[in-house]
Amino acid sequence: MDRIQHNYVDIRVKLHIPEIETFCSSRGPTVVLFLHGFPEIWYSWRHRMIAVANAGYRAIAPDLMGYGLSEHHPQPERASFIDFVEDTLAILDSFQIDKASLVGKDFGSWPVYLLPLLHPTRVSGIVSLGVPFFPPSPNRYQELPEGFYISGGRNLEELGQILIDLMSKLSGKISIFCSPEMKFP
């Protein structure tokens, strides 16, 4: 974890960009950009970042806008997945990266799907975890089970309260689990 550098990029908001930079000119595209899901942050990719860097690739895992140490969207009511696509392009541009492989999990998969459709020359390949691709549709979420977190069954405030309740029930266990003495594999 000592190899992970924490940078910030100012685009329309300030984004937190953890990365492990390696230089390996013998391979083709050498950048892997990880996009987290809900309600995660870059930290969920830490072990994969190290593995990818050990294989000779540069690993980047931003906190998406509004998550972790990144600033919130200036107009939250107007936020969309296209914002994440534009942010991803801005990150690539700010680090002068022409092309990257993208890995997305949960809602991080949607920018991973959209970026190569909108900017095919910027993407070497994609991996999606947990979310299959299906064409955008206004009725997309109508057939999900009731209460599924991205359906109309629960709003984000309700989910936030559920997380707060869970955290309060686990507070003693979490402080032990997250103690500085704890070593992760």
Side-chain angles (χ1 to χ4, degrees):
M1 298 266 291
D2 295 341
R3 295 171 53 197
I4 298 173
Q5 301 295 315
H6 296 269
N7 300 303
Y8 288 87
V9 171
D10 262 320
I11 48 175
R12 52 191 152 159
V13 298
K14 190 175 181 180
L15 296 178
H16 174 232
I17 316 289
E19 69 168 320
I20 303 175
E21 192 168 356
T22 59
F23 299 97
C24 183
S25 60
S26 63
R27 297 178 201 244
T30 60
V31 177
V32 178
L33 193 137
F34 298 92
L35 297 178
H36 63 77
F38 174 83
E40 300 170 325
I41 59 174
W42 77 271
Y43 193 73
S44 61
W45 293 114
R46 68 195 180 280
H47 297 300
R48 281 121 208 106
M49 291 174 71
I50 292 167
V52 163
N54 287 342
Y57 296 89
R58 181 176 181 183
I60 301 172
D63 279 336
L64 294 174
M65 185 181 343
Y67 290 84
L69 298 175
S70 290
E71 292 179 345
H72 294 276
H73 194 288
Q75 297 176 303
E77 68 281 357
R78 302 193 72 180
S80 73
F81 283 115
I82 296 300
D83 293 318
F84 293 140
V85 171
E86 291 171 359
D87 292 348
T88 304
L89 282 174
I91 291 165
L92 295 175
D93 289 344
S94 69
F95 288 113
Q96 299 177 338
I97 298 168
D98 294 327
K99 200 176 247 198
S101 295
L102 307 175
V103 180
K105 179 181 178 221
D106 190 55
F107 80 58
S109 293
W110 284 106
V112 164
Y113 287 138
L114 293 173
L115 196 108
L117 293 174
L118 299 171
H119 304 278
T121 61
R122 302 298 302 268
V123 179
S124 318
I126 66 168
V127 175
S128 171
L129 304 170
V131 178
F133 177 78
F134 45 88
S137 162
N139 301 323
R140 176 182 321 157
Y141 301 121
Q142 288 184 352
E143 296 180 25
L144 294 173
E146 186 175 333
F148 194 71
Y149 81 93
I150 59 172
S151 71
R154 290 202 165 131
N155 61 33
L156 291 178
E157 290 81 17
E158 186 180 353
L159 282 172
Q161 188 58 51
I162 290 168
L163 289 171
I164 289 168
D165 293 344
L166 180 63
M167 296 295 275
S168 66
K169 289 176 187 171
L170 298 174
S171 64
K173 294 173 182 72
I174 290 173
S175 63
I176 292 168
F177 178 76
C178 296
S179 70
E181 299 81 32
M182 182 65 110
K183 300 293 184 208
F184 295 98

